[in-house]
Each structure stands twice: as structure tokens, then as C-alpha cells.
Amino acid sequence: MFIRRNFTTEAELINGCLRGDRKAQQQLYDQYCGKFLAICLRYIKDHDLAEDVMIEGFMRIFEKLSQYENKGSFEGWMKKVIVREALMALRRNKNLMLEVALDQHEENQIHQYEWKGLEADELMEMVHDLPIGYRTVFNLYAIEGYAHGEISELLGISENTSKSQLSRARNLLKQKLADQHLKERRING
Amino acid sequence: MAKENDIDRLFREKLTDHTVQPSFLAWDKLEGRLSHKKKGPVLWMRIAAATVLMGGLTALIWVSVENTPQELDILADQEPVREYKVPENPTLPDTAPVEVEDAVEEESTSKAVAALPVVKKTTPITVAPAPPTKAANEPEPVAKADIPVLELDDIEFPPMDQDLLMAENNLIDPEPTQDQEVVYKVTIISNGLREKPEKEGLVGEIENKIDKLGGLLGKVDQGFADLQDAKNNLFASITTRK
């Protein structure tokens, strides 16, 4: 146990990563990979692609770590990097931006990945079922907490489109929640 | 608005701390990329060092190769200058020093362009009136003193002579044995000119080969024609028999 060096504080961990210490990097990865993959999966449905984006995001975090100036939470800064990476991936795949076509034909895939909490799983599926433009704006605004101005800059759309996409996303989610509620009632009798 | 905010809140509360465990391969991928990135600059450094070393070695080889023939050139250039300095001294006492010196300088410069030693031998072949007098000047400095002033006008033509001289170098190559200095010069010129005959030889060889091939093809054609004739005869004989 003495051989393995642990980074007890966040500052130590950051310094270790800055030095390029592989153990520090792995500890940071182990600590945040689950959260960050969940973020990526909210933007990118495909699990493999989301995982690649997460890896790319970690690479970017390690690269830009020297730019982190201890202002605000470290996790918040890293999350921003990851979200930006996910948006970049969407842009590269040209799937992003106001693709309004509803992909309701998709069958419910059985995920063999380990989910924590069924409720979150259900909500994730609802978010996944949203059209990609709605989903992106909803993720950024409702979950990540970005303002419409920031979203418009990030996605290269007007604030009004951002707002309209958000309200449509909310309406769709409301409908899905209602459907889910009805389903549960029927099952429960 | 309140309901909308509720939806936002519901999703935010449930999904912000939501985690999905990545596959075991993910860390290996990341580690591979991290180590690759670290090794990258080292590799670049190695490649850069290798290229620099190669460049240095090639430069050294070039310099060493270039130095050896340059020594020969210097010998060839320096020796003729000595030759022409000798006639300058006898002209000095002959009352027309400035003009004669100019003439000698012009001669030397014109000859320096067209391989100095060759001038002596080629001048008789070019049949130009001025060069023979020049050749006579060198061994007999006393006679020169009066003549060079007149020759200056004749020497203005030399550009034509230079071309002729360059073309006639081949003829003069095998006769360098008069002076040791001349031998050096001739080898240099012949080095430059050896390539041409090789090429001509190659072209000649290729032409010969093409001619041979043409002869072979002609024979083949003839044979083919003979065969056709034979065939025609055969068919004719068969058809006539039937």
C-alpha cells in the first residue's frame, strides 16, 4: 500500500497530472470517467462514439490543464471541456444543428452497459429520443446550465432558435413523461 | 413556466450526477494516446538528429570530393599565368610597355576562357592570321614588341576563334607531352569532353541495335510472307484436288 502513491487532494492530483504522472492521470480518469461518459452519452447516442469523445475530452483536459486557473470548481471546468468536445464531435459528424426530423422509428436498444439508477436510465432514454437539435439545446440549457446567449455562440445559431428548440424539447419531454406515467399506471393496475 | 422549470429541474437532478462506466479498453486507449504523445517529440528529435547527421556527412563528403579536383584546377590555372608573365619582362625594355602589357593581358584573358594551353596548338589549325603571330610572339619576345600594337585590332575577332578552339580540343588531346604543365590541363578538358563521346557511342550502339532489330523484323516479315504463300499454295492445291 505504501508503494502506491495516492493523490489525496485535488491540488495534488492536478499537480501530478501537470507533471505528466501516469498514476495521477489514471486516478483523475477513474474518478471522473463515469460522469464524463454520461455527459457524452447525453449528446451522442452511440456508446462507442461517446466513449471516443470522452477519451478525446480527457486528452484535451490533460493538454489544457495548465490553463486552469483554480477559479471555480475543477470539475466544472473539466465538464465544460467535455461538453465542448462533444459538440465538436457532433459538428464533425454533421449531425448537429436543427435536425428536426423525429427519429421515432428507432427501436429501444437493450444496453448491456451498467446504469446506475433506473430512473436516470429512463430519463436518458427520453433525452436520447429527442431530435438532435432539441437534445443539444436542452442538454446545454437545462442540465449544463448554459444561457441562451452562450448556446447560440457555441452552436452558431440565433438565440431565438435556441429558445424555440428548448421549448419544443420541453414539450416533447412532457409528453413522454405523461406517456410513461400512463404506462406505469396500467402496469400497476 | 413553472412546469417547464420543473422538467428542467427533474432532468438536471437526475442526470447531472448520472454515471456510465466506460469499457475497460477506454483507459488503455487513453493511456496509449498519452504515451504516444509523449514519445512523439522524442521520435521527432531522433528523426531530426538523423537528418542533420546525414546532411552533415553528405556535406563533408561533398567538400572532400570537391577539394581534390579543385587542386588540379588551381595547378592548371596558376601555371599558364607564370608562362605569360615571362614574356612581359622582355617587352618592358622595348619602349612600348603599356600597350604591349595590355595586349598580353587581353591574350591571357581570352585564352583563360578557352583553356590556355590549347591556344598554342590550335592557333595554327584555325588558320586565323593573328594567332600564329601570337604563337611566334611567345618564344621570340624581341619581334613581338613591334607587332602586338597592330595585332590588337586582329584580336578583337577572337570570339569566333574561341568557339573553334573549344570544338577542336578533341584533336589536340593526344598531344600534351611537350610540357608537364600542359598535361594537367589536357586531362581536365578531356574529363569534360569524355562524356560526349560516350553518349554518342551509346546513341550509335542503340542505332545499330535498332537497325539489327529492323533487319530481324524484316526477316520475320519475309518468313511470314513465305508461310502465307505456302499456306495459299496448300489451300489452292487442296481445293483444286477436290
Side-chain angles (χ1 to χ4, degrees):
Chain A
M1 288 300 286
F2 285 106
I3 301 161
R4 200 174 198 184
R5 193 180 164 185
N6 279 323
F7 302 89
T8 44
T9 64
E10 196 177 78
E12 273 181 20
L13 193 62
I14 291 169
N15 282 330
C17 291
L18 275 170
R19 270 185 273 118
D21 188 323
R22 186 52 45 82
K23 276 178 184 169
Q25 286 169 338
Q26 189 166 7
Q27 196 176 319
L28 188 81
Y29 171 84
D30 288 341
Q31 209 167 317
Y32 292 103
C33 63
K35 262 188 190 177
F36 292 170
L37 181 57
I39 292 173
C40 292
L41 274 168
R42 265 196 280 117
Y43 290 88
I44 297 153
K45 253 193 251 185
D46 183 79
H47 189 274
D48 291 337
L49 187 60
E51 208 170 87
D52 285 346
V53 170
M54 178 203 68
I55 290 167
E56 199 68 35
F58 269 108
M59 287 293 294
R60 200 53 55 87
I61 286 166
F62 292 136
E63 275 173 22
K64 293 191 170 181
L65 199 55
S66 56
Q67 293 173 21
Y68 170 64
E69 299 164 339
N70 291 316
K71 292 173 187 169
S73 82
F74 181 49
E75 191 182 328
W77 177 81
M78 286 194 293
K79 273 183 179 176
K80 276 189 178 176
V81 175
I82 294 284
V83 167
R84 206 168 274 260
E85 204 57 44
L87 293 178
M88 293 270 282
L90 285 173
R91 200 168 292 176
R92 273 199 298 276
N93 291 354
K94 291 180 180 176
N95 284 331
L96 187 62
M97 294 315 111
L98 320 177
E99 177 200 296
V100 187
L102 294 165
D103 36 16
Q104 288 174 335
H105 307 291
E106 276 202 3
E107 294 170 18
N108 290 328
Q109 292 177 341
I110 302 159
H111 297 277
Q112 62 267 70
Y113 313 109
E114 186 192 336
W115 298 92
K116 279 190 181 173
L118 194 71
E119 270 192 324
D121 178 15
E122 281 171 351
L123 293 180
M124 276 290 269
E125 267 187 33
M126 283 180 198
V127 173
H128 274 173
D129 287 343
L130 288 173
I132 198 158
Y134 297 2
R135 190 202 313 156
T136 311
V137 173
F138 181 78
N139 271 328
L140 287 169
Y141 184 90
I143 302 172
E144 256 75 59
Y146 283 87
H148 282 298
E150 287 174 300
I151 293 166
S152 72
E153 272 180 33
L154 275 171
L155 303 183
I157 55 173
S158 71
E159 272 189 50
N160 283 333
T161 3
S162 173
K163 281 175 188 170
S164 67
Q165 298 268 312
L166 176 70
S167 68
R168 283 173 196 171
R170 280 169 176 165
N171 285 333
L172 272 174
L173 288 173
K174 212 187 291 174
Q175 202 179 324
K176 282 177 196 293
L177 281 169
D179 290 349
Q180 188 74 14
H181 192 60
L182 269 175
K183 219 188 271 180
E184 279 175 8
R185 274 195 170 182
R186 274 179 206 158
I187 290 164
N188 292 334
Chain B
M1 286 297 288
K3 279 185 180 178
E4 284 167 2
N5 284 332
D6 285 346
I7 287 170
D8 287 5
R9 192 159 49 83
L10 171 70
F11 278 89
R12 193 184 309 128
E13 280 172 0
K14 295 283 177 189
L15 293 181
T16 37
D17 291 330
H18 181 55
T19 59
V20 181
Q21 211 56 34
S23 63
F24 293 110
L25 288 171
W27 167 249
D28 292 340
K29 271 190 198 175
L30 179 59
E31 196 180 18
R33 287 199 59 185
L34 283 167
S35 56
H36 181 71
K37 261 216 157 181
K38 276 189 175 178
K39 282 173 188 172
V42 178
L43 273 172
W44 276 110
M45 290 290 279
R46 282 178 188 171
I47 289 160
T51 46
V52 166
L53 267 173
M54 288 291 285
L57 279 172
T58 46
L60 273 171
I61 289 160
W62 262 109
V63 167
S64 60
V65 167
E66 278 180 5
N67 276 340
T68 41
Q70 269 173 7
E71 286 166 11
L72 286 172
D73 287 339
I74 291 157
L75 282 170
D77 289 341
Q78 283 174 349
E79 284 153 8
V81 176
R82 283 175 198 162
E83 280 181 3
Y84 289 106
K85 278 175 186 172
V86 177
E88 279 173 18
N89 293 327
T91 54
L92 284 168
D94 290 335
T95 65
V98 181
E99 287 177 355
V100 173
E101 278 175 8
D102 290 337
V104 173
E105 281 173 10
E106 282 181 20
E107 283 175 2
S108 63
T109 49
S110 63
K111 286 168 188 172
V113 175
L116 291 165
V118 182
V119 178
K120 288 179 190 171
K121 298 147 197 172
T122 50
T123 40
I125 302 157
T126 50
V127 201
T133 54
K134 287 174 211 165
N137 287 339
E138 286 155 7
E140 296 171 5
V142 184
K144 283 182 259 169
D146 301 330
I147 301 157
V149 184
L150 296 170
E151 283 175 350
L152 279 172
D153 297 326
D154 296 336
I155 295 158
E156 288 172 5
F157 294 101
M160 289 297 288
D161 293 341
Q162 283 173 9
D163 295 334
L164 288 167
L165 292 172
M166 286 301 284
E168 285 163 4
N169 281 339
N170 286 331
L171 301 171
I172 303 141
D173 287 342
E175 307 169 357
T177 52
Q178 287 180 354
D179 298 326
Q180 285 183 347
E181 302 150 6
V182 177
V183 175
Y184 290 113
K185 299 158 199 169
V186 171
T187 49
I188 292 154
I189 294 156
S190 63
N191 278 335
L193 290 170
R194 265 176 206 163
E195 290 173 3
K196 287 178 184 174
E198 279 172 14
K199 280 177 186 173
E200 283 168 12
L202 270 174
V203 170
E205 280 175 24
I206 289 161
E207 278 173 358
N208 283 337
K209 280 172 186 173
I210 287 163
D211 286 343
K212 279 180 188 172
L213 272 173
L216 278 171
L217 282 170
K219 280 179 186 173
V220 168
D221 282 342
Q222 237 180 350
F224 191 64
D226 289 346
L227 268 173
Q228 271 189 327
D229 286 343
K231 183 200 79 182
N232 287 335
N233 289 337
L234 193 97
F235 275 114
S237 66
I238 289 163
T239 45
T240 47
R241 274 181 199 168
K242 280 183 178 177

